[in-house]
């Protein structure tokens, strides 16, 4: 208890504490000093005693205000340590460190070393580097836990082994969070902990700010996303997600390239935002004196590559859409889009199965996985069913029998069980402008959430598929599929439309319908003072026709299939992550107040 008083009252707590520990050693057994977390100390009270630091003794009402002052106090102490190191001729921010092994390599190499054994041969002298995440001190002994990119290993530090004042420097100047370089031999303690028996060390980077409490970690969700670097230190499993993401991306590339696809790069800044129906981000190019758009899809430029003679192309990159944020949506996200000449959408179903299963095997090692408590079986082949049949199965409504009478179709739909009870769903149904739109709306409301196991949904209405080829057997439909897993769309693919006149007509109709919606939400100039509609409305942006793409089609594009697959959602699935922000290292967030 006396040691903790010294800790909280001193401006140099570690030095005073070590001094106290060494003096009491002569009297009797030395007090044990353990630091395994970074809960900051509080300042001493003026009432003649000291307020004991610790998360269990701090009142909840003052925790938020005291945490900032504690953080500032710790930063001030550590800045003094930086100054002290430099006064001793030691640079606290090193240029490099020569490592011989990582922590995991040592754990693997010496896994058979027996308890209490030590190896002193020249070949067993090692050099490692990493961040200190825990420490314990017992008089003439100190133990540190060092973590690097591969894992953790213990540092065994003995006063008699370290020259001059190095042991005292280790105990007084090294804090949790510091990056340390260490050289020494290999030892396994009597308790079975593989350790580097330290001969020498150097502080490579002096940490100025305390890490989160070891036992509670970084639990504030918003702070975890804003300070992902701290999140990855405090919660190592978070860093594992991004290692798995990297493996998934490399597996995707390897899988499609083994099938003969070539990776190409297309513009991020585009003169017309095409290839999808989404609100774009708009910027202005000063030298050109024109507006440009961040791409909302890579589709139209990849199709230009097919026109130019490439037969199998893909691009894996970022897409930007100025729309809502949710657990499934981020304004910038990653997709792979691919196009294959002389094939149809059946080919892309096979490719989707191949990509997902190869990624699952690479990351999970199996094809039966758990996602948020639901067992998902990725064994091939996956279910393939038309949108019409799935809607009929779920609601009893056969849209094939409804014809084109939109009014009757809406009445029948609203009478169906489970539809129209929610006011938002009812409004969406009543807003549909065609039977095709209505079919899709019913599918999204009723069917989509139920598609837990991998399912290809086939043959979408032509009204909502302006870039897909008309179905060769069913009028009013297109050769298009979407892949759903766990109630989420994972991929979207077509037999691509290659008729330039048909394509022009569909895109012009899409622009016309959008402009009608836009006119309803953008106020008239003479009613500017009466604005009540937010210009941020999803339909309040301008859509332009990509005439150059239509010109390219007139030169002739081969019959082809194309697919876009969401990489972020695939990573969510294979890492059992509930939110898209868990698989994007630095997601877009609201401005912090």
């Amino acid at each position: 208890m006396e040691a903790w008083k010294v800790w909280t009252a001193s401006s140099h707590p570690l030095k005073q504490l070590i001094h106290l520990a060494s003096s009491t050693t002569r009297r009797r057994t030395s007090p044990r000093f353990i630091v395994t977390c970074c809960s900051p100390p509080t300042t001493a009270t003026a009432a003649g005693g000291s307020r004991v630091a610790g998360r269990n003794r701090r009142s909840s009402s003052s925790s938020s205000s005291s945490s900032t002052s504690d953080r500032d106090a710790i930063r001030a102490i550590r800045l003094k340590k930086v100054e002290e190191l430099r006064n001793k001729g030691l640079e606290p921010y090193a240029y490099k460190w020569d490592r011989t092994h990582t922590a995991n390599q040592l754990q693997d190499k010496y896994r058979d070393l027996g308890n209490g054994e030590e190896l002193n041969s020249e070949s067993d002298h090692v050099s490692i580097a990493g961040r200190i995440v825990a420490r314990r001190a017992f008089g003439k002994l100190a133990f540190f836990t060092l973590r690097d990119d591969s894992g953790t290993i213990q540092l065994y530090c003995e006063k008699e082994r370290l020259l001059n004042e190095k042991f005292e420097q280790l105990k007084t100047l090294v804090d949790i969070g510091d990056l340390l370089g260490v050289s020494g031999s290999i030892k396994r303690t009597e308790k079975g902990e593989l350790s580097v028996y330290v001969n020498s060390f150097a502080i490579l980077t002096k940490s100025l700010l305390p890490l989160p409490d070891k036992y509670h970690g970084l639990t504030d969700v918003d702070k975890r996303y804003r300070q992902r670097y701290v999140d990855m230190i405090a919660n190592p499993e978070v860093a594992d997600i991004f290692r798995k993401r990297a493996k998934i991306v490399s597996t995707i590339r390897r899988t499609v390239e083994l099938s003969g696809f070539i990776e190409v790069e297309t513009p991020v800044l585009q003169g017309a935002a095409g290839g999808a129906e989404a609100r774009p981000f708009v910027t202005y190019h000063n030298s050109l004196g024109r507006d440009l758009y961040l791409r909302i899809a890579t589709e139209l430029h990849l199709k230009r590559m097919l026109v130019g003679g490439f037969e199998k192309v893909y691009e894996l990159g970022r897409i930007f859409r100025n729309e809502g944020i949710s657990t499934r949506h981020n304004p910038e996200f990653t997709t792979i889009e691919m196009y294959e000449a002389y094939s149809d959408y059946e080919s892309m179903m096979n490719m989707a199965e191949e990509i997902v299963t190869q990624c699952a095997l690479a990351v999970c090692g199996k094809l039966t996985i758990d996602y948020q408590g639901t067992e998902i079986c990725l064994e091939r082949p996956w279910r393939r069913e038309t949108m019409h049949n799935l809607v009929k199965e779920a609601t009893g409504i056969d849209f094939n029998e409804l014809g084109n009478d939109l009014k009757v179709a809406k009445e029948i739909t609203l009478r169906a069980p489970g539809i129209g009870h929610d006011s938002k769903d009812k409004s969406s149904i009543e807003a549909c402008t065609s039977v095709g739109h209505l079919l899709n709306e019913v599918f999204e409301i009723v069917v989509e959430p139920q598609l837990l196991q991998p399912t290809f949904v086939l043959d979408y209405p032509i009204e909502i598929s302006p870039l897909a080829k008309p179905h060769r057997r069913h009028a009013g439909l297109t050769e298009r599929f979407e892949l759903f897993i766990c109630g989420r769309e994972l991929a979207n693919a077509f037999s691509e439309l290659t008729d330039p006149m048909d394509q022009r007509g569909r895109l012009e109709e899409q622009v016309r319908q959008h402009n009608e919606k836009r006119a309803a939400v953008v106020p008239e100039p003479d009613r500017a003072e009466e604005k009540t509609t937010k210009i941020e409305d999803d339909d309040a942006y301008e859509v332009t026709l990509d005439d150059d793409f239509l010109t390219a089609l007139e030169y002739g594009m081969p019959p082809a299939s194309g697919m876009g697959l969401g990489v972020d959602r695939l990573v969510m699935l294979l890492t059992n992550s509930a939110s898209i922000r868990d698989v994007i290292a630095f997601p877009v967030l609201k401005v912090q107040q």
Side-chain angles (χ1 to χ4, degrees), residues 56-89:
N56 294 328
R57 295 172 176 84
R58 189 181 297 156
S59 66
S60 59
S61 61
S62 63
S63 60
S64 60
S65 60
S66 64
S67 62
T68 301
S69 60
D70 291 342
R71 171 186 162 116
D72 291 342
I74 289 176
R75 185 173 184 272
I77 291 171
R78 293 192 179 187
L79 280 170
K80 288 181 179 179
K81 292 183 180 182
V82 169
E83 184 180 352
E84 187 176 345
L85 284 165
R86 285 184 170 142
N87 289 339
K88 293 177 181 292

Side-chain angles (χ1 to χ4, degrees), residues 118 122 174 200 347 420 469 513:
E118 179 186 348
E122 187 175 340
V174 175
S200 63
S347 173
K469 209 171 188 69
Q513 289 182 7

Side-chain angles (χ1 to χ4, degrees), residues 104 203 280 334 396 508 581:
N104 192 54
I203 296 176
T334 304
E508 287 176 347
R581 281 174 279 190

Side-chain angles (χ1 to χ4, degrees), residues 446-516:
V446 180
V447 180
E448 187 175 314
Q450 307 304 319
L451 298 178
L452 301 181
Q453 300 303 320
T455 304
F456 291 111
V457 180
L458 313 178
D459 305 344
Y460 279 58
I462 199 167
E463 297 95 321
I464 61 169
S465 311
L467 295 165
K469 209 171 188 69
H471 201 285
R472 66 194 82 179
R473 289 185 297 276
H474 303 293
L477 302 180
T478 59
E479 294 196 351
R480 172 187 177 187
F481 76 77
E482 288 186 325
L483 169 62
F484 289 87
I485 304 178
C486 287
R488 296 174 181 173
E489 176 201 340
L490 196 65
N492 185 19
F494 315 142
S495 294
E496 299 296 338
L497 182 58
T498 54
D499 181 340
M501 303 314 294
D502 187 0
Q503 182 67 88
R504 179 176 290 276
R506 290 206 221 170
L507 290 179
E508 287 176 347
E509 176 61 18
Q510 186 182 39
V511 170
R512 185 193 66 77
Q513 289 182 7
H514 175 81
N515 287 340
E516 286 181 357

Side-chain angles (χ1 to χ4, degrees), residues 81-140:
K81 292 183 180 182
V82 169
E83 184 180 352
E84 187 176 345
L85 284 165
R86 285 184 170 142
N87 289 339
K88 293 177 181 292
L90 303 172
E91 176 51 54
Y93 298 100
Y95 286 90
K96 63 175 292 187
W97 182 265
D98 292 324
R99 292 194 297 181
T100 60
H101 299 80
T102 65
N104 192 54
Q105 286 171 343
L106 292 178
Q107 297 284 5
D108 185 61
K109 182 177 180 180
Y110 297 104
R111 62 182 178 274
D112 296 327
L113 188 66
N115 291 359
E117 289 187 34
E118 179 186 348
L119 301 174
N120 275 314
S121 67
E122 187 175 340
S123 62
D124 294 312
H125 280 257
V126 300
S127 175
I128 61 170
R131 189 182 299 274
I132 300 302
V133 294
R135 54 172 289 162
R136 295 172 293 151
F138 310 84
K140 295 183 179 182

